[in-house]
Amino acid sequence: MKEIALLMIGAALVNNVILARFLGLCSFMGVTTRIDTAMGMGLATTFVITVSSMADWAVQKYLLDAYNLGFLRTVTFILVIASAVQFTELSVRKVSPPLFQMLGIYLPLITTNCAVLGVALLLVEGRMSFFSATLFAFASSLGYSLVMVIFAGMRERLALAQVPQLFAGPPIAFIVASLLAMAFMGFSGMSTG
Amino acid sequence: MLPDKSLVEGIARVVWIEGDQAWCEPEQTTSCGHCASTAICGGKDPGMGTIGRRLELRRFALDNPYALRVGDRVVIGIASRALIEAALIAYGLPLVVALVAGLLAERLLRQDSATLAAMLAGLLVGLVLAHVIASRFAERGVLAPRFLRRAAPFESCSGGSQQ
């Protein structure tokens, strides 16, 4: 149980997908204007990252490794991710059409989210067991969602703040993001302390 | 005027009128922050998988006592709490069930293939559970979009009016 906890804390906080690995920055800046939309996007991304990582692990072990096709990894993973997004879209549509109408907006955005591919490549390179790989992907995406929600909260407050004209909009958002990244650097001490 | 924080607002365009209902198509914000619609992204015959096709699938009906006409842009709203609960059910529940199934299989069998099968089964069970709970949600009508007002000419789907 201790290994599971360490794996999850490491993936979510110490090596955060957005603030430590700088993946998924497009949605980080684009969909964080409100907390509720950031949470919706975070949950959808969590689902897609976890499901696609499960599929990527299986493809890597039973296809790419078995037939020595490692050079096709990136292309294959992109295909798997696109399929996972389609599967997610289909399943949400079947689970509840009203839900799909409300939440489906996030799904096309996830196809082009490099965090999904980044996590899949990281877990394959880590040579983890299936369960550890899935937990790693799940925790990474939880870290992604956490940062999205924190940043959205900060941007909601920024919208009410008096910001100099020169820094209004994206510039002040980038400054806040850098401060948040520095705050998250504090977690890196956990691995050495 | 500050937006109502209890509602998530979006902009939709009326695409056709059927009796006393107006069918609307949501304008969505793309990851680049721009607005997308079938008029821009899909053309007249959007292919499968295009943004236009996806938006067509998300058309919904609104009661139309407001004399809406085809082409009108309206601001619709849904309770933000309902949206978050819906997202937790649709995405969170299947994942949690899958992870619990995987954890049990890992502890009991310690084989990757068995864990993989258990997690897939857990995911399917979770989706079925989500379907049942989401159906109850839909029956209560909490996920139905509500008409709030007509959109201002330059009102953006990403919130606020563009200058």
Side-chain angles (χ1 to χ4, degrees), chain B residues 7 17 36 40 49 70 72 85 87 119 130 144:
Chain B
L7 289 175
I17 305 290
I40 300 164
V70 172
D72 284 354
E85 284 177 2
M119 288 194 82

Side-chain angles (χ1 to χ4, degrees), chain A residues 20 43 93 101 104 107 128 185:
Chain A
L43 282 165
R93 208 159 78 209
Q101 282 171 351
L107 293 170
M128 302 175 195
M185 277 174 68

